[in-house]
Amino acid sequence: MIKILKNLTVYKWMVLLVCGLVFIQTMADLYLPTLMADMIDKGVVLGDIPYIWRIGLVMLLVSAIGGAAAVLASYYSAKSAMGLGRDLRRKVFNHVEGFSLQEFNEVGTSSLITRTTNDITQIQQAVIMMLRMVISAPIMLAGGIIMAVSKDAKLSLILIVTMPVLIGSILLI
């Protein structure tokens, strides 16, 4: 897979853009619970209706920014993965063009068709997932830990027990 991912260097600016957009989306997702807690603590408890409206509008703005970042990240990750698939198909085709008749008989037409369609499509899907989820998970992990410790350091000690389990699960997946 690493040899295949080296072909993504052509799309490095799109991949970096996806990383930035995923970062923005993750930060928006992490900031919303803080705004909700602030709304309840300072708005609902004290009955300050204008404050509730203000924080509600801020929450809508943060959600819109996060949603726009998610859409753009999906678009650019798909665009770079499709470009990678196109490049891989071109390389496979150029390689197969040089086959002799004996090599065609050994490999088989059905195998070649499967490799140029299904296998490369699976690689494209894996690249899309990696660009979205593999980047998002560590950012969410670090941001979540920072948010938890900033809210209540003593309660966040629970993370010492649960984090190794979560990290192991993420690495396994």
Side-chain angles (χ1 to χ4, degrees), residues 45-61:
V45 171
L46 300 176
D48 189 357
I49 302 299
Y51 185 79
I52 294 171
W53 278 104
R54 264 194 320 273
I55 296 298
L57 290 174
V58 170
M59 287 178 72
L60 282 173
L61 179 66

Side-chain angles (χ1 to χ4, degrees), residues 51-154:
Y51 185 79
I52 294 171
W53 278 104
R54 264 194 320 273
I55 296 298
L57 290 174
V58 170
M59 287 178 72
L60 282 173
L61 179 66
V62 169
S63 295
I65 291 169
V71 168
L72 289 172
S74 294
Y75 174 77
Y76 286 113
S77 65
K79 190 171 176 137
S80 59
M82 295 306 129
L84 173 69
R86 181 194 60 225
D87 296 345
L88 289 175
R89 284 187 184 93
R90 184 177 297 131
K91 285 182 180 184
V92 168
F93 179 77
N94 290 336
H95 182 74
V96 169
E97 262 187 328
F99 278 6
S100 66
L101 290 176
Q102 181 182 358
E103 288 173 317
F104 267 117
N105 289 334
E106 287 176 12
V107 176
T109 306
S110 60
S111 177
L112 289 172
I113 291 171
T114 299
R115 291 188 199 301
T116 57
T117 56
N118 188 40
D119 291 358
I120 293 177
T121 301
Q122 293 301 321
I123 291 170
Q124 287 175 329
Q125 294 301 321
V127 168
I128 290 171
M129 294 294 281
M130 282 177 33
L131 286 175
R132 300 278 294 128
M133 291 184 188
V134 173
I135 295 170
S136 176
I139 297 171
M140 188 70 80
L141 174 74
I145 290 172
I146 291 168
M147 296 286 288
V149 171
S150 70
K151 290 296 176 190
D152 189 354
K154 204 179 238 186

Side-chain angles (χ1 to χ4, degrees), residues 12-66:
K12 64 183 170 198
W13 294 113
M14 265 196 267
V15 171
L16 289 174
L17 180 63
V18 168
C19 292
L21 290 168
V22 167
F23 179 79
I24 292 169
Q25 176 197 358
T26 305
M27 289 299 112
D29 290 344
L30 287 171
Y31 189 53
L32 283 174
T34 303
L35 287 173
M36 179 60 84
D38 196 37
M39 178 190 288
I40 291 171
D41 292 343
K42 296 178 183 171
V44 174
V45 171
L46 300 176
D48 189 357
I49 302 299
Y51 185 79
I52 294 171
W53 278 104
R54 264 194 320 273
I55 296 298
L57 290 174
V58 170
M59 287 178 72
L60 282 173
L61 179 66
V62 169
S63 295
I65 291 169

